[in-house]
Amino acid sequence: MKLTRVLDHADATRICRGIVAAAASDGGLPVTAAVAGADGVPLALERMDGAPALGVNVVIAKLHTAIVGLKDTIERHGKGVDPADYNDPRITTFGGGVVLRHDGHVFGAIAVSGRKPEDDHRLADAARRSLAS
């Protein structure tokens, strides 16, 4: 029997708040951060003051894309991939969504929106790496 990690609301909230704190301290633009479980449905979402409302839709798309695509969204960014080719309106090619894995199994995703795709990815990836320590 294989066991996998499971995120709960407390985990997701802690991750989102950590991302918001990092974004607030680095002097960059405000962001929206979210965490989803293995089903791709958000468990927690934090939107900083001044972060665009559109960031909520984008961060949810990044979570979905990371989960169903089984890889970080940055891997599709700038590669000429057309989201319409997937026949799924929730697919995005913007970087900033990262997959959470344990023993090869996806157990969730983290997404950030509000900055350049590479910067969103950096914040999400730092949060992912903090889970491993």
Side-chain angles (χ1 to χ4, degrees):
M1 173 183 0
K2 292 187 178 191
L3 300 176
T4 188
R5 290 181 68 174
V6 176
L7 290 168
D8 63 16
H9 179 258
D11 297 325
T13 299
R14 181 179 48 77
I15 293 165
C16 285
R17 290 189 177 156
I19 292 167
V20 166
S25 69
D26 71 9
L29 293 171
V31 301
T32 300
V35 176
D39 58 3
V41 177
L43 290 165
L45 186 145
E46 295 272 334
R47 181 176 161 220
M48 294 174 69
D49 292 341
L54 182 59
V56 172
N57 293 338
V58 175
V59 84
I60 291 170
K62 290 178 182 185
L63 290 173
H64 174 76
T65 302
I67 293 285
V68 301
L70 302 174
K71 61 183 173 181
D72 296 354
T73 60
I74 197 79
E75 294 182 39
R76 288 182 169 78
H77 182 73
K79 305 279 193 302
V81 175
D82 184 352
D85 292 343
Y86 293 100
N87 197 31
D88 182 342
R90 296 176 295 168
I91 296 292
T92 184
T93 58
F94 291 128
V98 299
V99 177
L100 300 175
R101 294 181 189 276
H102 177 73
D103 289 339
H105 292 87
V106 172
F107 70 93
I110 300 170
V112 177
S113 181
R115 297 182 178 177
K116 293 180 182 176
E118 297 80 11
D119 295 335
D120 288 347
H121 176 78
R122 181 185 51 79
L123 284 166
D125 187 49
R128 172 175 54 191
R129 285 185 280 112
S130 75
L131 294 176
S133 54

